[in-house]
Amino acid sequence: MPGCNCRQRHSTPAWSDTKVLPINTQPHNDNLLEIRDLHFSRGGRPVFRGLNVSIPRGGITAIMGPSGTGKTTLLKLIGGQLRPERGQILVDGIDVHRQGLSDLYQLRRRMGMLFQSGALLTDLSVFENVAFPLREHYALPEPLLRTLVLMKLESVGLRGARDLMPSELSGGMARRVALARAIALDPMMIMYDEPFTGLDPITMGVIVSLIKRLNDALGLTSILVSHDVQEASSIADQLFLISDGVVVDSGTPEALGRTTSEWSRQFLEGLPDGPVPFHYPAPDYLADLTEAR
Amino acid sequence: MLGGLQKLGHWGLGVLERLGRGHLFLFRVLMSLGTAVTRPRLVIKELYSVGVLSLLIIAVSGLFVGMVLGYQGYITLVNFGAEEALGSVVALSLVRELGPVITALLFAGRAGSALSAEIGLMKTTEQLSGMEMMAVDPVKRVILPRFVAAFISLPLLAAIFSAVAVMGGYFIGVGLLGVDGGSYWSQMQANVDFYEDVMNGIIKSLVFGFVVAWIAVFEGYDTVPTSEGVSRSTTRTVVHSALAVLALDFILTGLMFGDI
């Protein structure tokens, strides 16, 4: 229900669609998201090879790994935009990839997503972008819709920018508008795709604090994929490090700070060489140089 | 030799796969047609950008095509002392062939390419993915209104093209070359049959509208999400639409006016 900051959904209001949300037939547990034995390949290259992840309700979970490890792909799999070859993804007990299109769309109403680019609709103003999901799903009276949109924009500090067009926004502002839009339907979870990439330190600080504040205030479950160790560690309750298609390490930021895994240490401390080699596999250097002579 | 055959087979499979994807996509669009009825505002908005904004190029082209037809028709007919038949020659050429075909080609270049580029860019900038994640079906919200608007616009633009071209032929034939104005209109009235000529022209433009709209929205939706991908989709829209229109025109002409 728009405007409601509580975690449980109330009875369907008169102005909402009559269609009911998919029923959770699984036993209720503390994990909002469960990924079991996930296998996925792209262009013949395996991206995930038996990935297992459990994400509890209510916290912030960061999924981290080097570029190209399939972090964004994982979010698309969770959102049902891609299909795995094997394995299961359960969101609130609902198997995402066993839903029909209509049920999948119902489930997505409860999942917000912040894209790296913001993905704002370029022909709509800031106000209309945030109003977009509300207009599409609910026949709200215009004054109520206006109030809701202004509340969402106020929560990201951009109420004053309501009349701007996306082309007039900075990268950080566009991401904040996208965040306001992502929470417009009061989802149970939000997925953030590289939310800190390409931002200046001040804007990055704003986004970090917004993710934390919104998660706590709205009782959300936040999943963020990122390779920014400092920022993600500062707000995450739990970290998963993925590489080569599997989880290589997981735990609280404090626990991972004490990890003995060489790979994890290299990633978390940003070491240029280690288990992930500096050099791309190549033939012998000297032989390569002298080959043409 | 074997490599060449392999490449040919690979290309053939790629074409078949794309054709299959295109038909499945069309099926999805047609299954969503109800949205165009329940949300007519979306279609009306697109009718403006697809149809109204194409009016100028269609009207100007129609005027010049009509004037050229007037000239060429007069030069040929005057040799046989039949210049009074200019009105029927101009009108028959336009309503049967030139109106639907040239309008479809211009429409593919002006509106079809714009549709592909717009949808392709929306895909590249993740706007379509964003809609999906907001539980909004982009086929219903973005594709369908554009498809319907293009399908409706083309026959109307073809009618305007033909009307303006008939006037262009009149300006040249009657205004400049001295053909009798009464003969121009009366010959046209006597020789152009509503069902045989006008209706067949309308059917042609409806078919062209459907095909051009389908190609344009599919190319946009199926684009590779890069700047090069959008460029290729836009080019493919114009090339494939032009080829499809010309080939279909041949088939339809054979069915309507020939003995096939």
Side-chain angles (χ1 to χ4, degrees), chain A:
Chain A
M1 189 173 84
C4 172
N5 287 347
C6 43
R7 284 169 69 179
Q8 298 295 319
R9 284 187 168 262
H10 294 282
S11 56
T12 311
W15 34 259
S16 81
D17 284 341
T18 49
K19 183 143 191 181
V20 292
L21 296 167
I23 296 164
N24 176 358
T25 52
Q26 303 285 323
H28 196 271
N29 63 35
D30 288 340
N31 290 331
L32 182 71
L33 174 72
E34 291 204 33
I35 299 172
R36 297 174 186 160
D37 191 31
L38 185 74
H39 285 74
F40 181 78
S41 302
R42 182 170 269 164
R45 188 182 75 88
V47 180
F48 297 116
R49 302 180 304 156
L51 188 81
N52 289 290
V53 171
S54 294
I55 293 178
R57 292 169 194 275
I60 299 177
T61 302
I63 296 172
M64 309 183 73
S67 301
T69 44
K71 301 187 294 295
T72 302
T73 304
L74 182 61
L75 292 189
K76 289 192 170 177
L77 282 159
I78 296 169
Q81 291 185 299
L82 293 174
R83 260 193 120 70
E85 284 150 15
R86 216 167 78 203
Q88 251 189 336
I89 297 179
L90 302 174
V91 174
D92 198 24
I94 299 165
D95 190 337
V96 174
H97 299 98
R98 281 179 176 263
Q99 305 302 307
L101 194 63
S102 167
D103 286 339
L104 181 62
Y105 272 59
Q106 290 296 317
L107 182 62
R108 282 183 186 156
R109 288 194 193 192
R110 301 159 66 196
M111 305 157 81
M113 179 150 172
L114 181 75
F115 286 83
Q116 192 176 341
S117 61
L120 295 177
L121 300 168
T122 47
D123 59 334
L124 300 181
S125 67
V126 164
F127 182 94
E128 286 303 327
N129 259 288
V130 179
F132 182 80
L134 295 167
R135 286 197 198 282
E136 288 295 316
H137 295 301
Y138 303 100
L140 295 176
E142 200 57 31
L144 177 57
L145 182 121
R146 184 177 177 277
T147 306
L148 283 171
V149 172
L150 292 183
M151 282 168 65
K152 304 296 176 190
L153 282 172
E154 176 71 9
S155 67
V156 297
L158 290 178
R159 186 167 45 85
R162 75 188 93 163
D163 296 325
L164 297 181
M165 294 302 285
S167 58
E168 298 173 287
L169 303 174
S170 67
M173 286 168 82
R175 233 165 273 185
R176 283 153 72 186
V177 174
L179 185 50
R181 190 179 66 176
I183 59 171
L185 293 176
D186 284 332
M188 60 183 172
M189 65 183 266
I190 296 196
M191 297 182 280
Y192 297 88
D193 184 9
E194 300 284 6
F196 314 121
T197 303
L199 299 179
D200 63 77
I202 297 173
T203 313
M204 197 184 285
V206 169
I207 298 286
V208 168
S209 119
L210 265 177
I211 292 173
K212 179 74 180 156
R213 225 174 58 209
L214 287 174
N215 189 77
D216 295 344
L218 304 180
L220 299 167
T221 301
S222 300
I223 301 164
L224 62 100
V225 303
S226 176
H227 50 235
D228 292 286
V229 176
Q230 294 299 324
E231 286 71 27
S233 302
S234 69
I235 50 169
D237 301 304
Q238 187 182 210
L239 300 176
F240 284 91
L241 303 186
I242 58 171
S243 175
D244 212 14
V246 290
V247 173
V248 291
D249 220 340
S250 65
T252 61
E254 295 75 28
L256 280 181
R258 297 188 296 273
T259 184
T260 52
S261 157
E262 271 190 62
W263 188 94
S264 303
R265 294 217 69 79
Q266 186 190 1
F267 180 77
L268 294 170
E269 292 169 19
L271 304 174
D273 212 349
V276 182
F278 171 71
H279 287 288
Y280 191 80
D284 179 65
Y285 186 37
L286 191 61
D288 219 2
L289 289 177
T290 53
E291 191 183 2
R293 292 180 189 172

Side-chain angles (χ1 to χ4, degrees), chain B residues 241-260:
Chain B
S241 296
L243 291 175
V245 164
L246 294 172
L248 280 169
D249 184 47
F250 172 71
I251 295 166
L252 289 172
T253 303
L255 289 171
M256 290 168 172
F257 304 106
D259 295 324
I260 296 175

Side-chain angles (χ1 to χ4, degrees), chain B residues 170-191:
Chain B
Y170 178 86
F171 292 145
I172 294 300
V174 178
L176 201 69
L177 301 171
V179 175
D180 179 61
S183 302
Y184 186 87
W185 295 118
S186 62
Q187 284 282 328
M188 194 183 297
Q189 195 177 11
N191 292 314

